[in-house]
Amino acid sequence: MARSQAHRALPVELLASAEWQEACRGRDFARIFRLVKGKAGIYPSRIAALCGMTPSRVGEIMAGRRCLAHIDVIERVADGLRIPGAMLGLAHRSWEIPVPPRIGDRPPERLPAVSGGPQRMETAEELDDLLALVDGRATRSTLTALRSSVQDYWRRDNAHGGATLRPAVVGHLRYVGRLLDSAEAGLRYDLQGVAAELARLSGWAYFDARQYSTARTYFTQALKLSHMQGDSLFMANVLSCMSLLATYDGNPNDALALVCRAQDAARAAGGQPLVMSMLHLREAFAHATLRDAQACHQAVDRSRDQYERSRGHEVEAPVWVHYFDETKLLVDTGIAYARLGEPARAEPLITEGLRRENADQQRGRAFHAYWLASAQLQLGKLDEACTSAGLALDLTSVIDSPRVSGHVQELHGRMLPYAREAAVLAFEQRMRDALG
């Protein structure tokens, strides 16, 4: 018989109860059906509809006159009643955690043609040319507005994630490129700096969207623009972003080479302490990924030393590194230790960092909650890990950061050996509620 649409979920309290877990381990469907009726309020006729059975068959199973042995029928019951597969000794069911869509690098979409007339839709670049002609030449006021926009983009990236910022930031970058073509000599240098920052921001937004090839293209553009300016400190900044990207893309040796080159560029510009502190922690990330404990700890120590040197002189640092405060130093040190496989060192540092962070830093807090959960899972603190993962999940549901949501999905995969534990069952239910 045809099944009606499955109900949403069984109560977490039922799934976590010892009586229920014992019934599932023994595949005692008489008890399972009775518990579903008594604890979830799902009556035999509804059980029959959900599981593709006749009501009389469900009644016979509940009375102990029939049992279920065929695996396809057991799978139908698991899917119909939303019983996690691991509880019945099955593989994870397809409905348990929705699979996020794969995000890959895609070429820009073509603008649709306009039907019903001879008109032609200009390409994005042609439209930029027209707008630049209308807008005329850049002024100091234009420069001030552009810098304000860049700061606002970074604020929105930290609060909501970078993925949705891509069209706006890339459009702004193209616009500045057109302004550069006709800019007066006095403004050209400053406009190149804005263009470099927008290219770096574009790369970061694509990095946050897990579109690594496109991110690398924009970072390279930012590097070339800053080289044209002769801005060694900003070149170090871009190289540090490329190092982090290489770490995520599975190339830790490249990550190490890039961040060491970034440090050389920063030293050539005077070795600004706050910049060097940030770069040494990026170096620690690369060493941790390579499992070089000694080098990782040495890089962390150098980062702390440089941060102490920067105290009282923060205003002398470039604006783009002001985010790297004591809280960021604390939490990033914890992440380096977590990457290295030293969770006992990592947990208190990330916990304190999360405690200090502003509530509006939602993307950063989601990312740090993931790393806290990861450290706690390494320590065998399953309940605490699920609580921290729940915080990461809650924050992920209100931002647009495929990079962070991918971390949460990966963390769930590491929890599969504990799939029958109450804390994991509750976390999985929260994932289903959050992801649909």
Side-chain angles (χ1 to χ4, degrees):
M1 65 184 287
R3 283 180 286 168
S4 62
Q5 185 177 359
H7 72 106
R8 187 159 181 81
L10 293 171
V12 172
E13 296 78 9
L14 172 60
L15 296 178
S17 69
E19 184 180 11
W20 172 266
Q21 294 189 19
E22 182 182 352
C24 287
R25 279 194 296 270
R27 291 186 175 176
D28 185 346
F29 287 97
R31 290 177 67 191
I32 289 172
F33 286 172
R34 288 197 295 270
L35 287 168
V36 167
K37 176 185 175 184
K39 303 295 185 181
I42 303 175
Y43 286 85
S45 59
R46 178 65 173 152
I47 293 174
L50 290 169
C51 300
M53 300 179 184
T54 62
S56 60
R57 185 180 184 188
V58 171
E60 291 174 350
I61 292 170
M62 293 178 73
R65 294 194 295 271
R66 294 187 67 168
C67 59
L68 298 182
H70 294 290
I71 192 67
D72 58 336
V73 180
I74 293 173
E75 288 177 340
R76 276 210 319 267
V77 171
D79 293 339
L81 296 178
R82 292 297 194 251
I83 302 173
M87 303 201 82
L88 293 170
L90 305 173
H92 252 55
R93 316 305 300 154
S94 60
W95 52 265
E96 288 194 58
I97 302 297
V99 178
R102 185 179 182 275
I103 299 174
D105 290 324
R106 299 184 296 274
E109 296 182 2
R110 288 182 174 274
L111 293 171
V114 179
S115 60
Q119 298 98 330
R120 180 177 67 86
M121 179 70 78
E122 286 83 358
T123 66
E125 291 186 358
E126 289 171 335
L127 187 59
D128 286 340
D129 288 334
L130 291 174
L131 291 174
L133 286 173
V134 173
D135 291 343
R137 295 180 180 276
T139 65
R140 285 289 167 189
S141 296
T142 308
L143 192 63
T144 300
L146 288 169
R147 285 171 171 163
S148 177
S149 294
V150 169
Q151 291 174 4
D152 186 58
Y153 282 140
W154 281 117
R155 180 190 60 78
R156 290 160 60 188
D157 166 77
N158 196 29
H160 308 295
T164 54
L165 296 178
R166 287 169 293 168
V169 177
V170 171
H172 239 135
L173 175 60
R174 286 202 303 263
Y175 173 66
V176 172
R178 295 300 180 269
L179 291 179
L180 275 168
D181 292 339
S182 59
E184 298 176 354
L187 285 176
R188 188 171 180 80
Y189 181 87
D190 289 334
L191 278 174
Q192 281 181 339
V194 173
E197 183 61 46
L198 283 167
R200 182 179 79 102
L201 179 54
S202 298
W204 183 266
Y206 277 95
F207 167 59
D208 201 38
R210 301 177 76 189
Q211 296 184 12
Y212 298 152
S213 296
T214 304
R216 193 175 296 108
T217 299
Y218 282 110
F219 284 145
T220 301
Q221 183 180 358
L223 196 62
K224 290 177 178 177
L225 285 164
S226 55
H227 182 266
M228 289 170 59
Q229 275 199 303
D231 189 343
S232 295
L233 273 183
F234 196 81
M235 288 174 63
N237 184 18
V238 177
L239 286 166
S240 76
C241 293
M242 298 177 79
S243 172
L244 190 63
L245 171 61
T247 300
Y248 271 79
D249 209 17
N251 299 304
N253 288 305
D254 290 351
L256 183 58
L258 285 162
V259 77
C260 287
R261 185 66 188 89
Q263 291 170 8
D264 290 342
R267 290 189 190 97
Q272 209 289 322
L274 192 60
V275 172
M276 293 303 299
S277 180
M278 180 271 290
L279 293 175
H280 283 305
L281 258 186
R282 291 283 169 90
E283 178 192 354
F285 286 170
H287 287 308
T289 306
L290 289 166
R291 290 293 190 270
D292 188 337
Q294 182 178 3
C296 178
H297 285 289
Q298 289 172 347
V300 166
D301 289 342
R302 288 193 293 270
S303 178
R304 288 172 177 162
D305 291 344
Q306 289 289 342
Y307 190 84
E308 289 303 318
R309 283 188 58 206
S310 75
R311 288 187 186 276
H313 304 281
E314 290 86 356
V315 295
E316 301 171 10
V319 173
W320 47 259
V321 78
H322 284 180
Y323 79 95
F324 194 79
D325 56 12
E326 189 171 29
T327 298
K328 186 63 174 169
L329 172 69
L330 198 67
V331 76
D332 276 5
T333 300
I335 290 171
Y337 290 150
R339 287 181 182 273
L340 186 61
E342 297 185 0
R345 288 175 177 263
E347 185 189 21
L349 295 173
I350 302 173
T351 299
E352 177 61 16
L354 270 169
R355 187 189 67 80
R356 294 186 187 187
E357 282 179 319
N358 295 327
D360 59 353
Q361 296 175 315
Q362 295 183 107
R363 202 269 309 280
R365 285 178 59 78
F367 181 64
H368 300 153
Y370 154 76
W371 277 109
L372 178 58
S374 179
Q376 290 166 335
L377 190 61
Q378 291 181 62
L379 289 168
K381 298 180 177 181
L382 188 60
D383 289 348
E384 292 91 335
C386 288
T387 298
S388 300
L391 172 60
L393 180 64
D394 291 344
L395 291 166
T396 300
S397 66
V398 296
I399 62 175
D400 187 7
S401 174
R403 177 169 62 106
V404 177
S405 58
H407 277 311
V408 175
Q409 292 279 345
E410 178 267 333
L411 183 65
H412 168 252
R414 288 162 55 194
M415 290 180 177
L416 293 182
Y418 313 100
R420 295 190 183 194
E421 299 295 331
V424 177
L425 289 168
F427 174 65
E428 289 187 339
Q429 182 59 54
R430 290 176 73 174
M431 285 194 77
R432 287 191 286 274
D433 291 342
L435 300 179

